[in-house]
Amino acid sequence: MGLVTPRDLLSLAAQSCVNAAGLLRDIHVDVSSKGTFDQVSSADVEVEAFLRSVLVTGAPGSAVVGEELGSATASVTWYVDPIDGTRNFVRGLPLSCISVAAAVDGTLVAGCVLDPFRDELFTAAVGVPFAVQSSGLVITPGVSPRPLVLTDIPLPGSPYTGEMELLGSLLEIADVRRIYSTALSLAWVAAGRADAAANIGVFPWDTAAGAVLVREAGGEFRSIGTNAFVAGRGEIVDWLAARVEGIVS
């Protein structure tokens, strides 16, 4: 594969997300269970198959780590979540997104998150500043006396103890929203709409694009253990990280 820059990879990822969103208008959605609590829809599978095809065609020799159709790695590896927030999507709740990130030799270099319901595209790459393209109403985030935190802790069936205690303590010091879309949460943190996000029980395709967005927007993204993260700005990040580490360690 020829040399590609983070900007090249971002351009391919972003256009692929936009094209994939067009499929959602015509897909008949069938839903089945995936594990005890998760769901997968026919839309997840069709969108991921489309993204795999266009990404690997656009970057020959690259490989894909995807939620629904398996994983492989290469010098350039794509991380694909075709519909992050499937449980919202299948109920018609407009809180889900398409998420694509690119890594070169194991380092994340580009990411995009597309919210098809609000027609918002969040993009960033190494050397390419964070940006939001939106055709809807965009409000400049204001300042709140309490930090706003996006988290789905605790998730149903979690094997960890201490999550309810964390949520209770968090509610005493912060405004909390549960939206059940990790990638969208991270995009909103990058855009300054929330101060922090934290989740347990996540996978690389959930967080890869959002991690790039947050870091390139000037925030922190901290992986904790093998399946948790905290991201954001300010003192709330340290507060959350200490408690999430205590739960998953």
Side-chain angles (χ1 to χ4, degrees):
M1 181 172 58
L3 293 176
V4 288
T5 67
R7 186 181 296 273
D8 294 331
L9 296 170
L10 178 61
S11 178
L12 176 57
Q15 189 59 56
S16 299
C17 283
V18 170
N19 293 343
L23 299 177
L24 296 177
R25 301 181 185 278
D26 302 316
I27 290 176
H28 174 73
V29 179
D30 296 313
V31 184
S32 58
S33 297
K34 184 173 69 173
T36 305
F37 296 101
D38 273 344
Q39 295 175 318
V40 60
S41 74
S42 54
D44 290 87
V45 176
E46 290 189 42
V47 170
E48 182 168 326
F50 172 82
L51 287 169
R52 283 174 174 269
S53 176
V54 296
L55 292 169
V56 172
T57 299
S62 61
V64 177
V65 174
E67 180 171 11
E68 309 300 343
L69 299 175
S71 300
T73 59
S75 177
V76 172
T77 301
W78 301 100
Y79 290 85
V80 172
D81 195 338
I83 300 178
D84 186 64
T86 298
R87 282 180 288 184
N88 292 332
F89 179 81
V90 300
R91 295 301 299 266
L93 294 173
L95 289 169
S96 57
C97 63
I98 300 170
S99 175
V100 175
V104 175
D105 296 330
T107 299
L108 290 168
V109 298
C112 67
V113 169
L114 175 65
D115 178 347
F117 296 99
R118 296 167 187 80
D119 193 23
E120 286 192 312
L121 180 65
F122 304 83
T123 57
V126 174
V128 182
F130 171 78
V132 184
Q133 300 176 44
S134 177
S135 62
L137 176 65
V138 177
I139 304 297
T140 301
V143 177
S144 171
R146 289 161 60 92
L148 177 61
V149 177
L150 304 174
T151 183
D152 302 325
I153 297 171
L155 283 176
S158 172
Y160 299 105
T161 59
E163 290 183 81
M164 284 300 296
E165 290 81 358
L166 168 57
L167 180 60
S169 298
L170 183 59
L171 286 167
E172 294 179 0
I173 65 168
D175 291 330
V176 179
R177 305 288 187 274
R178 297 168 63 83
I179 68 170
Y180 285 97
S181 173
T182 289
L184 196 57
S185 294
L186 288 167
W188 288 358
V189 169
R193 299 173 188 175
D195 298 290
N199 273 325
I200 296 172
V202 296
F203 295 90
W205 50 78
D206 295 314
T207 61
V212 176
L213 298 180
V214 170
R215 286 169 176 161
E216 294 303 318
E220 294 183 76
F221 179 91
R222 302 185 193 178
S223 294
I224 299 175
T226 59
N227 66 346
F229 77 89
V230 171
R233 303 174 181 85
E235 295 179 359
I236 190 64
V237 175
D238 290 332
W239 189 97
L240 283 165
R243 285 154 180 82
V244 171
E245 287 171 359
I247 290 171
V248 302
S249 61

